[in-house]
Amino acid sequence: MVKSKIVIMLVMLVLSTSSMAAFANNFQQDFDITWGDGRAKILDNGNCLILSLDKTSGSGFQSKHSYLFGEITMQLKLVPGNSAGTVTAFYLSSSGATWDEIDFEFLGNLSGDPYTVHTNVFTQGKGNREEQFHLWFDPTKAFHTYSILWNPRQIVFSVDGIPIRVFQNAESIGVPFPNKQPMKIYSSLWNADDWATRGGLVKTDWTKSPFIASYMNFNAQACVCSSDGTSSCASNSPTSLSGDWLKQELDSNKKQKLIWVRQNYMIYDYCTDSKRFVQGFPPECKYAPLV
Ligand SMILES: *[C@@H]1O[C@H](CO)[C@@H](O)[C@H](O)[C@H]1NC(C)=O
């Protein structure tokens, strides 16, 4: 009796410490500030991070760990007011010439005009899979949740839990899928007024600088890769955490929401840009979701 209780307690202890390692929510612990010469700051004991941009420089950070599959969630409050010309990026990327990348980019705008959420997926160094959206709220007034679910079946971009884009594994029809190269999480705030707002027509108003984007509540339910090539999701790993997200597909409620977003807020879809793809659409467009 007593012995089994102790075993249960030990198991619970192991489970709770391993999930703490994977669900940690501390910028100090999980990220390195990589550039910006003091413009990026971790505040409030690691609970909050800010990036800033002025005429001299932007700033950025990256995760300490690499991940191979995961559900990566971040809360962001984007640059308020006249943010035209600024870009805040939040993305996953591997390294090397044939890298994989999953991108969220938030293109600023004049006060009162909507941000554009730009998304892209690179596989083996090739992107050209842009989809763009407006949002159904003002992303500068409060923190909102942006997440990337990346599992062997699909990549789902979500905003406040509402899926906006799905990139399915289409390896069976010859489209590479990011499933071999571990990725790190990156974020940066920089000036892109040569293209970002109305194709570069609207320039950054430096009298409004510094521009500031804020981050909190980072969460990675993810397979963490060690430098020796082992993954925390391997079945023999002591911290194996392969949760639901690893197999997750959209349920009918989420599919409805995806349709709602794409019918009402999508402003660009490469899979319908026939001027660009005169020779025919990329093969994965066959799998393009629903709308
Ligand atoms: C800025 O606002 C204009 C006007 O509403 C809109 O067409 C455009 O998509 C917005 N976003 C960017 C990045 O220009």
Side-chain angles (χ1 to χ4, degrees):
M1 232 8 214
V2 172
K3 204 172 162 194
S4 68
K5 261 193 184 153
I6 291 175
V7 169
I8 288 170
M9 279 172 63
L10 276 174
V11 166
M12 284 173 62
L13 186 70
V14 168
L15 283 176
S16 68
T17 48
S18 65
S19 57
M20 267 167 67
F23 298 109
N25 173 22
N26 187 297
F27 287 102
Q28 211 102 50
Q29 199 176 306
D30 293 316
F31 293 96
D32 289 317
I33 287 171
T34 41
W35 62 287
D37 200 17
R39 287 174 182 79
K41 289 190 184 74
I42 294 175
L43 306 169
D44 188 20
N45 294 321
N47 287 321
C48 180
L49 184 152
I50 59 167
L51 290 184
S52 81
L53 161 72
D54 57 39
K55 204 165 183 181
T56 311
S57 178
S59 51
F61 63 94
Q62 73 181 50
S63 62
K64 293 189 205 272
H65 293 300
S66 297
Y67 306 89
L68 187 59
F69 305 123
E71 184 165 31
I72 310 291
T73 298
M74 185 76 88
Q75 292 195 317
L76 274 87
K77 192 160 89 171
L78 299 174
V79 175
N82 180 356
S83 58
T86 72
V87 173
T88 306
F90 172 56
Y91 61 103
L92 302 175
S93 182
S94 63
S95 48
T98 53
W99 80 100
D100 299 326
E101 187 176 316
I102 305 170
D103 289 330
F104 260 123
E105 285 184 334
F106 305 94
L107 316 185
N109 217 334
L110 296 167
S111 295
D113 280 346
Y115 261 76
T116 292
V117 180
H118 174 98
T119 63
N120 205 350
V121 176
F122 286 71
T123 57
Q124 298 182 5
K126 195 183 146 294
N128 298 326
R129 299 188 176 103
E130 299 85 358
E131 290 186 11
Q132 294 185 335
F133 304 83
H134 284 158
L135 292 164
W136 48 97
F137 54 84
D138 181 344
T140 72
K141 290 275 186 275
F143 283 92
H144 288 269
T145 305
Y146 303 89
S147 63
I148 295 169
L149 169 72
W150 168 38
N151 70 26
R153 296 181 192 196
Q154 58 182 0
I155 295 164
V156 181
F157 295 78
S158 298
V159 176
D160 287 340
I162 296 179
I164 63 169
R165 174 175 189 176
V166 176
F167 181 81
Q168 297 208 7
N169 184 329
E171 279 183 311
S172 64
I173 54 168
V175 181
F177 189 80
N179 51 16
K180 291 175 193 71
Q181 310 188 72
M183 303 205 234
K184 286 188 171 180
I185 304 165
Y186 296 84
S187 188
S188 52
L189 171 57
W190 83 93
N191 176 40
D193 68 359
D194 51 337
W195 61 271
T197 308
R198 301 205 190 183
L201 289 179
V202 184
K203 298 295 174 194
T204 304
D205 179 1
W206 294 112
T207 66
K208 301 290 188 313
S209 77
F211 300 100
I212 291 173
S214 317
Y215 297 73
M216 59 179 220
N217 288 334
F218 162 70
N219 190 329
Q221 272 186 283
C223 304
V224 181
C225 298
S226 314
S227 46
D228 64 3
T230 55
S231 162
S232 65
C233 289
S235 53
N236 59 355
S237 160
T239 57
S240 182
L241 259 178
S242 6
D244 277 354
W245 57 268
L246 199 51
K247 296 189 290 261
Q248 196 176 309
E249 298 195 51
L250 297 186
D251 61 22
S252 59
N253 174 35
K254 294 244 165 155
K255 279 186 186 153
Q256 286 301 319
K257 290 182 165 158
L258 177 71
I259 293 172
W260 172 75
V261 172
R262 298 174 73 82
Q263 279 176 342
N264 294 289
Y265 297 96
M266 188 158 66
I267 55 170
Y268 179 78
D269 179 1
Y270 75 111
C271 281
T272 59
D273 189 345
S274 47
K275 285 204 194 95
R276 179 175 173 192
F277 295 104
V278 274
Q279 319 281 10
F281 291 113
E284 73 274 12
C285 290
K286 270 190 220 143
Y287 285 14
L290 313 160
V291 187

